[in-house]
Amino acid sequence: MQFPQHAVEEEVGISEHLGPGVPGFSGQFKSRWQDFHVHEVDLAGIELHLTELITPGAVAAELKKEAEERREARNALGPSFFFDSTTEAAVHDAIGQKYSQELLGFLQEQAPPKKETPPELPEEPPEKAERRDFLDLIAAEVKDGSKEARKKAHEVILKHFGSFLNTETVEAKPGEGEAGTRVIRIWMREAEKKVKTSMGKAAPEEGKGTRKGKNKSKGKGQKGKGDKGVKTPDAGGDFGALRREGWPKDRPEYLYFRLYKENCDTGEAVSGIARCVGRSAKQFTFAGTKDRRAVTVQQICAHRLPADQLRRTVLHRGWDKRVRISDLEYRADRLRLGQLSGNRFKILLREVPVDALAGSGPADQVSESTVSRAFEAVRTGGFLNYFGLQRFGTRQVKTHQVGAAIIARKWEEAVHLILGGAKRPAEVEAASDRPCKLPRKEGDEHVPLNEGDEDEGDQPQVKAVKGRGKGDAQKLVSEAQRVYLDTGDAQRALELMPRSHSLERCLLGARARALTNQEALQQLPHQALSVIWNAVLSRRLRHFGRSPVAGDLVLLAAQEWTVDQVLEGVEAEGDEPDETPTADGRCGTALPPVRILTEEEAKTVRLQDVVLPLPGFEVVYPSHLRDAYEELSQRLLGLSLADFSECTMVRLSGSYRTAAACPQDLQWHALSPESLQSTPALMETDVARLLSEREHNPQLENRSEKSQAEYSEGKGTGAVAFSCILPPSSYLTMMLRELMKTGV
């Protein structure tokens, strides 16, 4: 990828380096997605990796084996069936001796299912003994008749015979023993399904829940005039409806699993999984989004999703081959945004000049290489903890400008900044909130019109764009913008907008649901606070140096990581807006206490301990920087600090962020041009590692041959591979900026 110009960084307040005297080096970052690996580190400090390969073939074999086991267990029933000693003891303890014998007799009545008889062969004579479909146990006579005893009876029967038996507690009806008595009914599963399904399909008699004449069908939630007092029979007749299996009470409600993905973003991967399991993507949460052009592993949480259902989903024809899962387990609490302690990055920088990799000077006094000096400086001193460029958007209009419009309550201007792509003149005020259509405004001319569209009225023809390249995606974005600006049809624009443009899709989806501009914008993040923070940090370094000074702020309680995640990217669906992650990365509503350094205390702390506030109504501003906050807020955004306190759309209490960050466990090594050409796989993925652990795998051999050709480099340049852990809101690009002394 090409490096942006410094002017782009200066627009968002990025201008300084922590070690300006340490020379940098040139190189290419993320020239291939295979060169960028990210592994989430959870709150317990565990680095997440894929630990097993759940493949379609393995899952199919598991299902086949389970089906064979169920079939064998069912075929074992009949006159010769008996309980083994373990099962007999468990059943006797759960339902008593009397009902244990009755259950055994019931199972001995069940002959194996009949095989289909070929047409040329005569059918076997029917069995003489009548076979029951279910067995009733009087609930009051099951042990002591308590609720706990009934629960244990259900659990034991399903544990030992669940493949062919099902249980329920019902009231006995006339003809089923003593009417009105509560019983535990033990069904043969195939008989229950047959009986309840056939009864459910039977049409009710006329006059019992049906109506003649017009308007027989009613909309959702509506009632007919003649239905009062008329009851419709249960779908399952006398035996009730076929029940869907409920969520076990003793099972935690949240399924956690590790998501491995290649070259796709987190939202795309999660949405694909949600479609395959037939759920809404809103039921899935994660601690943070991971890069698209990368190999990443992170934790995902789903509400009440059975693990076996998710495991079977890899057989779905719509399953994304770039996605893998492992380590499925149930937990009691939901995973929330920001609940991680950091990310492990494994990076390969390509096209690094050979002279930067080797030392310089006389042969007997070879100095440390430029690369090693740069990495050593960052390892010991860290880097400036700027908010990276990706926080402010990559298109013409930066998201901090959207944030300024939101804080100033200019709803229509904020919508145009996102969907129109250009800032409106300052004199244009958002005087109205049209429910659908927005007129074209000055500055929207860059949004292209197709030829002939001007003459096609309010419904211009949408031209299909094939392919998935960057140029084609941009055409779709421009077409979606044009459709919305010209016609106000948010739904059509949403269908055109690529899924990678989550900000625009979020806004269009809200507008398609007839929300006002203000209501739609409440769902969007903004970065107005971040650009002020960056600019204040740059000014502090220019005016007060790179060491702590009297008046700086530090957290009262030392934390291993002091990070800020206010409005960090798009918030996960379902997160409460009032829960702002605090400075230690955990969710909460109270800011951590800070103290003001004295001149003596300033000599004992590092710049990594110093925090700067993001504007808000609860933060403490350093006295020597208060004027800088006010001036920069007015100059960059046209807002005063009071505007942040008075913002009613988003609760801007503020937060604290460390001025510098220091990577943990930073390791690096240089790769010469010769080693690049001879090494088949420079960055081993979890999938490649797991495949290599198998004894013989042709697939792995093919991958190695492909990798060797793919990773060959030109002459004269080498590479640098490095690994480190960064806190969740620190930007790797800002660390690379410090290393290379250039924009990334």
Side-chain angles (χ1 to χ4, degrees), residues 476-510:
L476 285 173
V477 172
S478 298
E479 181 69 11
Q481 291 174 335
R482 184 189 61 77
V483 166
Y484 181 70
L485 292 172
D486 281 356
T487 70
D489 192 338
Q491 184 60 44
R492 293 183 67 211
L494 178 63
E495 294 170 357
L496 284 169
M497 187 66 69
R499 292 187 177 275
S500 58
H501 288 63
S502 57
L503 192 67
E504 292 89 339
R505 288 182 60 84
C506 180
L507 180 59
L508 287 171

Side-chain angles (χ1 to χ4, degrees), residues 329-377:
E329 62 174 326
Y330 297 106
R331 298 186 188 176
D333 299 319
R334 185 180 70 162
L335 179 64
R336 296 180 180 272
L337 191 69
Q339 289 185 327
L340 72 164
S341 62
N343 292 288
R344 162 74 71 177
F345 293 94
K346 297 180 180 179
I347 309 297
L348 183 69
L349 298 175
R350 295 181 179 272
E351 311 232 350
V352 179
V354 174
D355 56 358
L357 299 174
S360 58
D364 57 342
Q365 296 180 353
V366 177
S367 63
E368 197 175 18
S369 69
T370 302
V371 168
S372 294
R373 289 175 60 194
F375 273 98
E376 184 62 27

Side-chain angles (χ1 to χ4, degrees), residues 674-691:
E674 294 76 20
S675 63
L676 285 175
Q677 295 180 7
S678 61
T679 304
L682 299 174
M683 300 278 286
E684 185 181 52
T685 66
D686 285 350
V687 172
R689 173 180 53 80
L690 291 171
L691 287 173

